[in-house]
């Protein structure tokens, strides 16, 4: 469902999905796991506890509690315990597992939705459109006014006209005023 929403929003000129990490965009648009892993940063880890634990590998000296916490995470994910010789490798493996290893089914579902909306050929063949469909969060400025401008409001009709797909002026006025107020106040 989310993939279809992203695709339809793009096709109909709505706001695109911003804020996805670069490794996720790489996986989502058909890139390999290796290329996604090479673009990983610590900020890509969505779980703050895991992010903090993984960042302990960058410290030179660990307390007993920090060492236990790091060892527990490594063992939980079937990785070797940290040593002086495997810290960099282990950092990359933990980060890769925390970010990429836990999203495979979600990426598959998002891709399926993107394929259903027909924008998959565009995403898989044109690398330059990745930044349009999935802009960096710093490039997007989504406000209530931006959303209101993108809505295609239905056309009201008089009560005299008998059309099944049209909405009476009074009902249309109530709905639009509620929607406008909701969108402006939701911030």
């Amino acid at each position: 469902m989310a993939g279809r929403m992203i695709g339809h929003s793009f096709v109909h000129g709505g706001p695109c999905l911003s804020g996805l990490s670069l490794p996720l965009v790489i996986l989502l648009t058909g890139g390999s796991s290796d290329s996604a892993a090479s673009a990983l940063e610590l900020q890509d880890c969505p779980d703050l506890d895991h992010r903090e634990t993984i960042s302990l590998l960058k410290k030179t000296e660990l307390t007993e509690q920090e060492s236990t916490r790091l060892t527990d995470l490594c063992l939980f994910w079937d990785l070797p315990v940290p040593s002086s010789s495997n810290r960099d490798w282990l950092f990359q493996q933990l980060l890769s597992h925390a970010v990429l290893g836990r999203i495979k089914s979600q990426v598959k579902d998002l891709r399926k939705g993107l394929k259903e909306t027909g924008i998959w050929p565009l995403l898989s063949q044109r690398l330059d459109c990745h930044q349009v469909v999935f802009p960096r969060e710093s490039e997007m400025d989504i406000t209530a006014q931006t959303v209101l401008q993108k809505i295609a409001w239905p056309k009201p009709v008089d009560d005299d006209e008998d059309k099944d797909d049209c909405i009476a002026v009074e009902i249309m006025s109530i709905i639009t005023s509620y929607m406008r107020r909701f969108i402006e106040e939701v911030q």
Side-chain angles (χ1 to χ4, degrees), residues 38-102:
S38 67
L40 278 174
E41 295 177 9
L42 193 57
Q43 271 50 33
D44 294 326
C45 183
D47 188 319
L48 297 178
D49 291 333
H50 289 157
R51 184 188 306 177
E52 186 179 323
T53 304
I54 294 168
S55 71
L56 294 174
L57 285 167
K58 293 297 184 183
K59 291 176 68 175
T60 54
E61 293 293 322
L62 298 175
T63 65
E64 184 66 33
Q65 183 183 14
E66 291 172 338
S67 179
T68 302
R69 196 168 145 201
L70 190 55
T71 301
D72 288 345
L73 183 63
C74 291
L75 293 176
F76 184 70
W77 285 343
D78 297 327
L79 291 168
V81 294
S83 68
S84 59
S85 62
N86 71 353
R87 289 176 90 81
D88 292 334
W89 175 85
L90 191 58
F91 177 84
Q92 195 63 31
Q93 292 300 311
L94 286 170
L95 191 57
S96 180
H97 188 281
V99 178
L100 304 176
R102 307 174 89 192

Side-chain angles (χ1 to χ4, degrees), residues 128-143:
D128 59 327
C129 73
H130 295 177
Q131 294 174 343
V132 175
V133 179
F134 304 110
R136 302 306 296 165
E137 191 170 14
S138 59
E139 297 170 2
M140 287 296 293
D141 184 29
I142 298 177
T143 63

Side-chain angles (χ1 to χ4, degrees), residues 116-179:
E116 288 174 2
T117 58
I119 67 168
W120 180 252
L122 179 69
L123 288 173
S124 61
Q125 296 172 6
R126 302 260 328 256
L127 299 178
D128 59 327
C129 73
H130 295 177
Q131 294 174 343
V132 175
V133 179
F134 304 110
R136 302 306 296 165
E137 191 170 14
S138 59
E139 297 170 2
M140 287 296 293
D141 184 29
I142 298 177
T143 63
Q145 292 304 318
T146 307
V147 173
L148 287 171
Q149 290 171 356
K150 297 293 184 177
I151 294 176
W153 299 99
K155 306 268 190 278
V157 296
D158 294 326
D159 290 333
D160 300 339
E161 296 180 28
D162 188 30
K163 294 193 176 184
D164 294 334
D165 60 343
C166 294
I167 299 173
V169 175
E170 297 84 25
I171 296 172
M172 181 65 189
S173 176
I174 293 169
I175 293 171
T176 56
S177 66
Y178 171 77
M179 288 296 293

